Amino acid sequence: MNATESSQADESMLEVLRPLLSKYGVAVSLADFHEQVNVVFHDIESAVYDQVHADMWNSLPQQYQLVFHDVDRQPERSLANKPLSILDIGCGTGLSATLLLRTLSTRVQSVHLLDTSNRMLELAKSRLQNFEGPVEATHGTTDSLPSEQKFDVIVTCSVLHHIPDLRSFCEEVTRLQTPGGIFVHFQDPNDDSMTLTERVEREAIFKKKTKPWVPKSFQRYLPHRVLRALWNAVSGARREGYLELVNTELLRRGVIQKPMTPGDIWSVTDIHIREDAGISIETVAQFLPEYRRVSYRTYGFYSVLGSTLPGALANEEQRLISEGSKAGAYFAGAWQHLHLP
C-alpha cells in the first residue's frame, strides 16, 4: 500500500463499522457509536485490566529500556540532562506512566495523564500518588489540552490500534510536543509482520505447544491467549460476564437495541486489528513529517508476549529481540521532533 492509499484507508477507517449501525439498531452517529463503545468497554475493563494484562507488566519493561536506550544514543540528545514533562495519552490504569518513571527515573519532572475513561484515569492517578512531582489528569482526548501546553515526552501504550484517524492523532501529538521532544509508542499490532512466513510458522509452533481452546470468532481480533485470559478473568467474577456488562451498559444508554457479539465489540474497540492487518511503522512515519525515527523494535514473535511463553520459546523470543528482528507481532517506536531547541 502506498502513502496515498494508506492515508485514504486511515481516514475512512470508521466506515468499516457502518454495517453495525443497522445490525444493532444504533441510535447515534458512527463516530459517537465508536466512541461510546470504547468508553464503556474500557470503563468496565478498568476493574480487571491489571490482572488480564499482567503479561504486559512482565514483558514491556524490557521494551521501555531498549527504546529509551536508543533515544539516549542519538547524537542530538535534546532531552539529555533536562527535567522532563510527560504526557501519557490513553494512560489506562497507569502502566505506561509507571514504566516511564522506572525507566527515566529522576529525569521526570511532571506527569500529565489523559484518558477518555474516567475509571481508568482514577486508577492511574492513584498509582502515581507517591510520585514526588506534580501529576495532572484530564478526562478526554488531546483536543482537551490547550495549544500552549507542551510536553518533552509523549507516550502511548496499547493505544494506536483504538484510534481510527491516526493522521489527526499524530497532528495532535505534534501540536503538543516541545521542539526536539520525543514521541514514543508501544504495543502496536505490527502490520509489517502479518504475512511473513516466519511469523506464520512460529504461530503454528506456539499453538501446537499450548493448544488453547478459543472460539474461532475471537481469533481474528486479538491474540488468542489475551482473549482467553480476558474471558476467564471476568466471567467467573461476575454473573453477567465481561462482555455482557458492556452490552448491558450500551443497551441502558440506548446506543444499541440488541446485544453485540464479542467479535463485533472487538471490531469496534480494536479497529486497526483485523485479519492480516495492523499498523505499519511506515504509516506512522508518513503522519509524523516533522519527526525522525530514532527507535523501531518488535517483539511477540509467537504472537503473544514473551512472559507467557514456555522456556524454549521464551529463549528464542529473547534471541530475536537481541538481534533486532522486525518480525514480531507487536512493535514500538520512538520519534524525535526535528525542530530542536
Side-chain angles (χ1 to χ4, degrees), residues 200-212 219 223-225 302-303 313:
V200 173
E201 291 173 348
R202 286 197 191 95
E203 287 180 347
I205 292 171
F206 174 75
K207 290 178 181 178
K208 182 176 181 181
K209 284 184 174 291
T210 57
K211 296 181 180 179
Q219 293 178 8
H224 57 292
R225 284 179 68 99
Y302 292 91
S303 294
L313 299 189

Side-chain angles (χ1 to χ4, degrees), residues 104-307:
L104 300 178
S105 187
T106 57
R107 297 164 63 184
V108 178
Q109 181 181 53
S110 64
V111 177
H112 197 119
L113 305 169
L114 179 68
D115 207 289
T116 57
S117 166
N118 253 324
R119 295 183 189 176
M120 288 282 196
L121 199 61
E122 290 302 316
L123 290 169
K125 287 163 57 179
S126 177
R127 177 163 271 126
L128 268 65
Q129 62 184 339
N130 293 326
F131 174 60
E132 294 182 356
V135 176
E136 295 185 65
T138 298
H139 175 235
T141 64
T142 52
D143 293 338
S144 307
L145 302 177
S147 295
E148 61 270 18
Q149 202 162 7
K150 306 291 183 183
F151 301 91
D152 301 310
V153 177
I154 298 177
V155 61
T156 68
C157 180
S158 194
V159 168
L160 295 188
H161 64 278
H162 297 305
I163 300 171
D165 188 354
L166 289 177
R167 177 184 292 277
S168 294
F169 175 79
C170 289
E171 289 173 351
E172 284 292 284
V173 167
T174 304
R175 177 178 70 85
L176 295 166
Q177 191 89 72
T178 57
I182 298 293
F183 169 50
V184 289
H185 52 96
F186 297 88
Q187 199 75 1
D188 300 319
N190 184 13
D191 182 67
D192 298 320
S193 73
M194 288 291 184
T195 57
L196 290 180
T197 301
E198 58 183 298
R199 174 172 164 182
V200 173
E201 291 173 348
R202 286 197 191 95
E203 287 180 347
I205 292 171
F206 174 75
K207 290 178 181 178
K208 182 176 181 181
K209 284 184 174 291
T210 57
K211 296 181 180 179
W213 178 85
V214 179
K216 290 183 178 180
S217 60
F218 288 4
Q219 293 178 8
R220 71 175 64 184
Y221 296 105
L222 283 176
H224 57 292
R225 284 179 68 99
V226 173
L227 292 172
R228 184 176 64 181
L230 176 63
W231 192 259
N232 289 344
V234 295
S235 62
R238 297 187 179 186
R239 184 175 57 185
E240 290 182 294
Y242 182 81
L243 296 180
E244 289 183 20
L245 289 174
V246 174
N247 274 318
T248 297
E249 178 60 16
L250 291 173
L251 287 165
R252 186 192 70 79
R253 293 186 180 197
V255 177
I256 57 177
Q257 301 305 310
K258 62 180 182 179
M260 298 174 65
T261 66
D264 283 344
I265 291 175
W266 270 300
S267 73
V268 177
T269 60
D270 297 354
I271 195 166
H272 283 279
I273 301 179
R274 297 180 175 274
E275 192 170 7
D276 295 328
I279 300 172
S280 168
I281 190 72
E282 296 306 323
T283 296
V284 181
Q286 69 169 301
F287 295 156
L288 293 170
E290 297 182 37
Y291 290 74
R292 65 186 180 93
R293 192 177 74 206
V294 295
S295 182
Y296 172 33
R297 300 274 182 171
T298 80
Y299 51 101
F301 295 96
Y302 292 91
S303 294
V304 296
L305 293 181
S307 56

